């Protein structure tokens, strides 16, 4: 859906921001670009919607070289979310959200109805927040409006530049989770820039780890954490990369103990043993561990798609899973 072919960007002052970059983002995929400040992430992103033109190489969106597409038409197909949000201060939240549909010539009522729908989608109440001005919202709410506005015209591609950077860590994690839930339904092709390795790991289907103007590794978070391609990547992802991997390692059936005694109890106990903490199969090891630590029982019931217990996760199972999670991955293996 988005394809970089040997793209170099040299600014007028001679700075090479991006050097011979090639990568591809599949349709419906969320790719995070992560690296230290000044490594060329924003430059990369801005070449997709032609806010920056490559010095050499090509950028294709949906098979089309963007150099040949009218920038205004291009930008209407590409949602753009930035840290500073960039809401119009003298327009209401509803009208801010309706900006692109209005530009596209939608009737006012249709644009506003769409805006209200989008505000609801990002967890704001159109009746309460819609009539307000941006200054009357919290930072987290403004970020939500930024996402709603970017999605309003239903663009196939979304560019997000440090979209959750301006809020405190708790709000940030909530916004990240909300966006992931949203992405699971809207399935946009997303490029998300961040300098935060945790965010890159949590959000990305795949992640591009940048060195200076170049991608050092482009792979799934589990593989980047499990098998860093270079010492630079290993250093960037941190010595606690094994722990970080817990967030992207799901609990699998092989981690479970069948618990015969427990099975009886499920059958016999009122409500099928509902007092025990339960997590669905596929929960991250990190969340499973957190749940385990919140309860005294020393085990979790893991349930299948139909909600029925599949087995229990005990400290021994956690240990097996941890060893699996922290073992180096086969670089050829794909999930
Ligand atoms: N308009 C510009 N003119 C000259 N240099 C620029 C310009 N924009 C960015 N740069 C430089 O290009 C490099 C990459 O910048 P940028 O893409 O913004 O990095 P990042 O988003 O990773 O922090 C930096 O050295 C930055 O100073
Ligand atoms: Mg930047």
């Amino acid at each position: 859906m988005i394809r970089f072919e040997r793209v170099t960007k040299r600014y007028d002052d001679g700075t090479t921001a991006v050097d011979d970059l090639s990568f591809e983002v599949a349709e419906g995929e969320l790719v995070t670009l992560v690296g230290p400040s000044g490594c060329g992430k924003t430059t990369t992103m801005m070449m997709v919607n032609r806010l920056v033109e490559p010095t050499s190489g090509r950028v294709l969106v949906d098979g089309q070289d963007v150099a040949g597409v009218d920038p205004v038409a291009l930008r209407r197909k590409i949602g753009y979310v930035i840290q500073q949000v960039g809401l119009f201060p003298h327009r209401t939240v509803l009208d801010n959200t309706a900006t692109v549909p209005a530009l596209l010539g939608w009737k006012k009522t249709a644009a506003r109805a769409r805006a209200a729908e989008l505000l609801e989608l990002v967890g704001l109440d159109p009746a309460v927040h819609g009539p307000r001005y941006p200054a009357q919202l919290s930072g987290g709410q403004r970020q939500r409006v930024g996402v709603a506005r970017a999605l309003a015209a239903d663009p196939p591609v979304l560019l997000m530049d440090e979209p959750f950077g301006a809020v405190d860590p708790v709000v940030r994690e909530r916004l990240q989770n909300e966006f992931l839930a949203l992405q699971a339904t809207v399935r946009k092709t997303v490029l998300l820039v961040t300098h935060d390795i945790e965010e890159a790991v949590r959000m990305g289907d795949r992640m591009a780890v940048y060195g200076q103007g170049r991608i050092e590794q482009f792979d799934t978070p589990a593989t980047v954490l499990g098998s860093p391609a270079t010492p630079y990547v290993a250093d960037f992802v941190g010595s606690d990369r094994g722990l970080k991997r817990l967030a992207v390692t799901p609990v699998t059936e092989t981690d479970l103990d069948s618990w015969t005694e427990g099975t009886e109890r499920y059958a016999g106990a009122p409500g099928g043993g509902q007092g025990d903490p339960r997590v669905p199969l596929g929960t991250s090891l990190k969340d499973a561990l957190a749940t385990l630590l919140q309860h005294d029982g020393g085990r979790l019931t893991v349930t299948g798609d139909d909600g029925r217990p599949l087995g229990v996760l005990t400290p021994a199972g956690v240990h097996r899973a941890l060893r699996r999670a922290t073992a180096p991955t086969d670089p050829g293996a794909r999930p």
Side-chain angles (χ1 to χ4, degrees), residues 9-18 33-46 52 161-162 193-195 210-213:
K9 174 62 189 180
R10 219 168 284 108
Y11 284 108
D12 290 342
D13 64 359
T15 307
T16 303
V18 164
L33 309 182
V34 64
S37 180
C39 66
K41 307 180 297 293
T42 295
T43 300
T44 302
M45 175 162 283
M46 286 180 158
V52 169
D161 197 344
E162 310 262 4
V193 161
T194 179
H195 61 268
Y210 272 64
Q212 210 52 53

Side-chain angles (χ1 to χ4, degrees), residues 27-328:
E27 191 172 342
E29 188 180 29
L30 194 163
V31 167
T32 53
L33 309 182
V34 64
S37 180
C39 66
K41 307 180 297 293
T42 295
T43 300
T44 302
M45 175 162 283
M46 286 180 158
M47 287 191 283
V48 178
N49 63 1
R50 295 194 67 187
L51 289 171
V52 169
E53 302 290 346
T55 309
S56 62
R58 302 200 301 165
V59 179
L60 297 100
V61 172
D62 210 5
Q64 232 182 346
D65 185 345
V66 296
V69 183
D70 171 53
V72 176
L74 182 71
R75 282 169 211 158
R76 284 177 190 166
K77 286 196 305 185
I78 300 177
Y80 192 38
V81 186
I82 54 175
Q83 183 179 327
Q84 304 79 0
V85 190
L87 299 178
F88 302 114
H90 303 301
R91 282 195 202 164
T92 64
V93 163
L94 192 72
D95 284 340
N96 263 287
T97 310
T99 303
V100 181
L103 280 174
L104 289 171
W106 293 31
K107 291 236 161 55
K108 200 163 191 168
T109 46
R112 288 190 162 174
R114 174 67 179 158
E117 189 184 313
L118 263 299
L119 287 176
E120 219 157 299
L121 198 63
V122 299
L124 295 174
D125 182 344
V128 174
H129 303 105
R132 290 195 192 167
Y133 290 91
Q136 297 169 307
L137 299 182
S138 72
Q141 289 169 336
R142 276 198 292 273
Q143 295 286 345
R144 288 188 180 92
V145 177
V147 171
R149 184 179 58 176
L151 287 170
D154 205 16
V157 174
L158 209 52
L159 306 178
M160 308 180 84
D161 197 344
E162 310 262 4
F164 314 121
V167 292
D168 68 70
V170 174
V171 174
R172 183 172 207 187
E173 188 165 342
R174 194 183 311 140
L175 290 176
Q176 289 169 345
N177 289 334
E178 283 173 11
F179 184 76
L180 286 176
L182 192 60
Q183 169 66 357
T185 58
V186 297
R187 285 271 159 220
K188 301 295 178 189
T189 304
V190 186
L191 261 188
L192 187 151
V193 161
T194 179
H195 61 268
D196 175 6
I197 180 70
E198 311 272 357
E199 180 162 286
V201 165
R202 180 180 299 146
M203 305 288 289
D205 296 316
R206 288 189 294 167
M207 57 195 283
V209 183
Y210 272 64
Q212 210 52 53
R214 322 178 59 95
I215 292 177
E216 299 265 336
Q217 189 168 11
F218 187 92
D219 216 316
T220 60
T223 301
V224 170
L225 294 172
S227 312
T230 64
Y232 169 88
V233 175
D235 186 51
F236 185 76
V237 299
S239 52
D240 61 341
R241 61 196 169 87
L243 283 175
K244 290 196 179 90
R245 242 180 124 191
L246 298 182
V248 291
T249 305
V251 172
T252 65
E253 282 203 76
T254 55
D255 302 324
L256 306 184
D257 289 310
S258 65
W259 183 39
T260 11
E261 180 200 353
T263 317
E264 265 164 53
R265 218 180 108 203
Y266 288 128
Q274 270 175 358
D276 291 342
R278 291 179 170 217
V279 297
L281 197 69
T283 299
S284 74
L285 271 178
K286 184 179 174 208
D287 289 345
L289 263 178
T291 308
L292 198 59
L293 290 172
Q294 279 167 12
H295 294 82
D296 296 329
R299 69 183 167 244
L300 285 180
T301 296
V302 178
T303 55
D305 283 343
D306 55 2
R308 288 167 51 115
L310 292 172
V312 293
L313 188 67
T314 63
V318 169
H319 194 239
R320 281 198 300 275
L322 282 173
R323 291 184 52 175
R324 176 168 56 80
T326 52

